[in-house]
Amino acid sequence: MNTRAWIVFLDESGVSLLPQICRTYAPRGRTPLLRHRLNWKRASMAAALGYHSTDFDRGPRLCFHLKPGSYDTIALIEVLEQVKEFYRGEPVILVWDGLSAHWSRAMRAWVTEQDWLTLERLPAYAAELNPVELLWSSLKKRELANLAGDHLADVADATEQGVHRINHNQHLPWSYLAHTGLTIHPPHPPNLRKDQ
């Protein structure tokens, strides 16, 4: 295993035109109403959140992908090609869950041809170990909260705004990793050192 690699956590999630209902504020006596068309159109999103194993000055990096429908092995290979470009072919240790498309015969055959990529599997039923789960929670509770869009493009625009928000706040990706209880050595990146 390469010790000077990006440790990248990847996960997928789904969104639809049905709003993510969250509590909100309104003037007393005026209960907010969400009006939507009960449209079941869905999109899938994938995020790869990476931390360099030895150089914290490079900061966390977020690669994001959104597509109509759902992911299968072929679509995930396309996402991994995007991850390869995003990390400029540097060594990547990819950590993801046991989804069948992640470990299919076609995926394993493709991965064996990739000298830049090593796969690691999260334990079963351990979503709390993937910092990308916290990213999804952040997006769904903020940009996608109570969004009653007419088109998938509305959801895509809101999601992209959330990704930009997270990319512009270096503390958020570190906090997602800290919340999992996992560490990348050395244990305290520059913005989370105890002596500050």
Side-chain angles (χ1 to χ4, degrees), residues 32 40 50 55 61 97 104 106 133 171 174 177 186 196:
W40 293 94
D55 187 358
R61 299 194 63 207
D97 58 28
S104 68
E133 294 288 350
H171 295 284
W174 285 118
L177 181 67
Q196 291 182 348

Side-chain angles (χ1 to χ4, degrees), residues 63-66 76-88 116:
C63 179
F64 181 77
H65 187 268
L66 182 73
L76 284 171
I77 288 172
E78 290 174 11
V79 170
L80 292 178
E81 290 284 3
Q82 181 179 337
V83 168
K84 180 180 180 179
E85 287 181 34
F86 187 75
Y87 288 100
R88 296 181 182 99
W116 61 278

Side-chain angles (χ1 to χ4, degrees), residues 27-192:
R28 185 176 294 222
R30 292 195 231 158
T31 303
L33 297 175
L34 281 177
R35 300 188 191 282
H36 58 88
R37 299 176 184 208
L38 288 173
N39 191 325
W40 293 94
K41 285 187 180 175
R42 294 190 56 79
S44 295
M45 47 190 179
L49 185 54
Y51 307 88
H52 199 273
S53 61
T54 59
D55 187 358
F56 288 112
D57 291 333
R58 297 178 80 176
R61 299 194 63 207
L62 173 60
C63 179
F64 181 77
H65 187 268
L66 182 73
K67 72 178 285 304
S70 58
Y71 286 104
D72 58 9
T73 298
I74 294 168
L76 284 171
I77 288 172
E78 290 174 11
V79 170
L80 292 178
E81 290 284 3
Q82 181 179 337
V83 168
K84 180 180 180 179
E85 287 181 34
F86 187 75
Y87 288 100
R88 296 181 182 99
E90 290 185 73
V92 166
I93 299 168
L94 188 77
V95 182
W96 58 5
D97 58 28
L99 184 72
S100 60
H102 293 174
W103 301 98
S104 68
R105 188 173 297 160
M107 178 63 76
R108 285 180 287 158
W110 182 82
V111 168
T112 58
E113 299 173 4
Q114 309 303 311
D115 61 348
W116 61 278
L117 182 63
T118 303
L119 296 183
E120 294 293 335
R121 185 176 186 159
L122 284 168
Y125 309 107
E128 69 277 2
L129 295 178
N130 193 335
V132 180
E133 294 288 350
L134 295 154
L135 180 143
W136 297 144
S137 178
S138 178
L139 286 175
K140 290 177 180 182
K141 289 180 180 173
R142 190 155 173 184
E143 283 79 15
L144 298 176
N146 301 321
L147 176 67
D150 291 326
H151 307 283
L152 281 176
D154 300 331
V155 174
D157 290 344
T159 304
E160 285 184 24
Q161 288 174 3
V163 168
H164 288 299
R165 171 180 60 87
I166 292 165
N167 266 332
H168 286 89
N169 183 342
Q170 291 291 303
H171 295 284
L172 279 175
W174 285 118
S175 71
Y176 299 156
L177 181 67
H179 189 78
T180 67
L182 301 174
T183 59
I184 297 186
H185 297 287
H188 301 293
N191 60 349
L192 294 178

